[in-house]
Amino acid sequence: QRHRVVRTGRILRVRLGIMGATADDDFDVIACYMPTRGAQRRGGQESSEASRQYTLAVWRSLATTTLPLAGQGRALVMGDLNAEMRAVVEAKANPRPTKSDRCLELMMEQLSLVRTGTGRPTHHKGGEIDHILVPDAESGKVRQARIMPGFSGHDHALVYVDYRYAIDREGMGEPRAVGKALHMITDEAKWDEYREQSTIKRKAAIAEVEATGGTHIDALRAIQQAEEEAIAPIYDEARAQLRKLRE
């Protein structure tokens, strides 16, 4: 499926193919129009709470859609996010971060996304609320965003980036294995548990290779497998906890 409406009127996911590449090289553009900043401040208590819950739900949809794609370096998140970076907000004379500002910061941190903007306003009121975000692993392929007059000169500016993608299929070996997003593990006790399990499994793996007369390459592969086995349950637990927080 080449496109999917994630949330009507808010989030659209489009899968793009690259000419000359295989399906493994496809990447996704996630186009967004997130809830407005003003709606998060206006209204009475009941309407404000309903607005807050709706805003959180939309950001949750964006994060859960982007999560599996960003881990593979295959997603560009772009559009009117109606949220500003913390540094931009704090530089104002009267900084008032919104819930969307905090959601943007959390999503970028958890999914290892980086900004392409430079802090220049993209809206006629002076805020940088239109963004193009890329996975950290892909940031070297993207230049800083440029700002141009938009289709509506009295509203939003046009934000665009150059994305460079080179393919060399000759003489290539197997694709590089992509590891787990270990930044999700924030509990120091879990890291201690990982180190303990890693030491035990690595020693056992090396002993088995030596007993069977394996090569240095065999030993390196065995160590890699041991590391993956040591981190897997801890990573799965951290990811499950993150899902609960988003729910």
Side-chain angles (χ1 to χ4, degrees), residues 37 41 89 94-102:
R37 296 166 65 81
R41 296 193 178 110
V89 175
N94 183 26
R96 295 178 61 194
T98 67
K99 190 66 179 178
S100 286
D101 297 336
R102 291 187 284 270

Side-chain angles (χ1 to χ4, degrees), residues 44 59 82 88 109 138 146 148 154-155 174 176 208 222:
W59 277 97
N82 274 309
V88 175
E109 178 183 339
E138 297 290 289
R146 304 180 192 180
M148 294 181 63
H154 301 290
D155 195 5
E174 296 181 0
R176 180 178 65 87
E208 184 176 350

Side-chain angles (χ1 to χ4, degrees), residues 42-228:
R42 292 194 297 264
Q45 182 175 357
E46 184 176 351
S47 61
S48 294
E49 177 60 21
S51 174
R52 189 183 75 86
Q53 292 298 330
Y54 174 71
T55 298
L56 289 175
V58 176
W59 277 97
R60 188 179 299 117
S61 295
L62 176 58
T64 53
T65 299
T66 309
L67 175 61
L69 303 171
Q72 302 171 33
R74 287 178 27 169
L76 301 178
V77 178
M78 62 181 65
D80 180 1
L81 301 188
N82 274 309
E84 292 185 287
M85 303 292 175
R86 175 190 288 188
V88 175
V89 175
E90 291 181 346
K92 296 180 179 181
N94 183 26
R96 295 178 61 194
T98 67
K99 190 66 179 178
S100 286
D101 297 336
R102 291 187 284 270
C103 286
L104 173 62
E105 180 182 13
L106 179 61
M107 184 183 74
M108 291 180 63
E109 178 183 339
Q110 296 293 345
L111 305 187
S112 293
L113 299 173
V114 297
R115 62 187 291 197
T116 58
T118 59
R120 292 180 57 193
T122 63
H123 191 263
H124 73 98
K125 292 185 178 180
E128 186 189 26
I129 60 175
D130 303 276
H131 302 277
I132 300 177
L133 310 177
V134 301
D136 186 44
E138 297 290 289
S139 59
K141 299 177 181 178
V142 181
R143 295 181 180 178
Q144 283 187 335
R146 304 180 192 180
I147 309 298
M148 294 181 63
F151 294 105
S152 172
H154 301 290
D155 195 5
H156 294 262
L158 173 67
V159 182
Y160 78 97
V161 297
D162 293 321
Y163 183 88
R164 296 170 294 175
Y165 198 98
I167 301 174
D168 179 9
R169 293 294 177 191
E170 296 183 4
M172 291 181 64
E174 296 181 0
R176 180 178 65 87
V178 178
K180 294 178 170 58
L182 300 184
H183 65 277
M184 290 186 181
I185 305 174
T186 58
D187 187 344
E188 187 61 34
K190 292 298 180 182
W191 279 109
D192 291 338
E193 180 183 342
Y194 158 68
R195 295 185 188 100
E196 180 181 353
Q197 290 299 316
S198 172
T199 300
I200 295 172
K201 291 182 180 295
R202 276 192 286 110
K203 288 182 179 179
I206 293 172
E208 184 176 350
V209 171
E210 291 176 346
T212 56
T215 65
H216 290 300
I217 298 299
D218 294 328
L220 289 174
R221 288 174 176 167
I223 291 173
Q224 183 180 20
Q225 181 63 34
E227 294 285 356
E228 291 177 355

